[in-house]
Amino acid sequence: EVNQAQAKTITDLIRAYFSYTQKYYKSKEAGNIKYALNFLRSKYQTMPIDDFGPLKLNTLRAMMIKEKTGSGQLSIAESI
């Protein structure tokens, strides 16, 4: 298991954070987080963590809204 201090790429950080979410969030919240993390991984999986900043987050949010695969998922993207 990768912890946040060892994480080098977006995928590493996602693994560490998702492990945390399973312990601390209710099932619906964890499902929403999983959707957002899967979307993040699909776009930036190999990117070094230090290269992912506010501009990339805004770009990711815009892509999520554009794809809006469901109303519940859209509200996740809009709340970022």
Side-chain angles (χ1 to χ4, degrees):
E1 181 176 319
V2 177
N3 67 41
Q4 290 180 354
Q6 297 170 323
K8 303 264 188 261
T9 66
I10 293 296
T11 296
D12 294 337
L13 189 62
I14 288 170
R15 285 185 187 130
Y17 183 67
F18 188 69
S19 176
Y20 168 84
T21 65
Q22 295 300 296
K23 297 173 189 171
Y24 296 100
Y25 291 100
K26 296 177 183 161
S27 61
K28 183 178 179 183
E29 293 165 325
N32 291 341
I33 291 168
K34 183 177 180 180
Y35 169 78
L37 293 177
N38 283 337
F39 197 90
L40 172 62
R41 185 181 316 152
S42 75
K43 305 302 181 193
Y44 296 110
Q45 63 183 346
T46 60
M47 177 178 284
I49 293 169
D50 293 338
D51 292 347
F52 188 86
L55 294 177
K56 295 285 191 221
L57 181 60
N58 285 339
T59 300
L60 182 72
R61 179 181 179 275
M63 287 187 286
M64 290 176 79
I65 291 169
K66 185 176 180 180
E67 288 193 19
K68 58 181 167 181
T69 57
S71 60
Q73 294 159 342
L74 178 59
S75 64
I76 296 166
E78 290 177 332
S79 68
I80 294 176

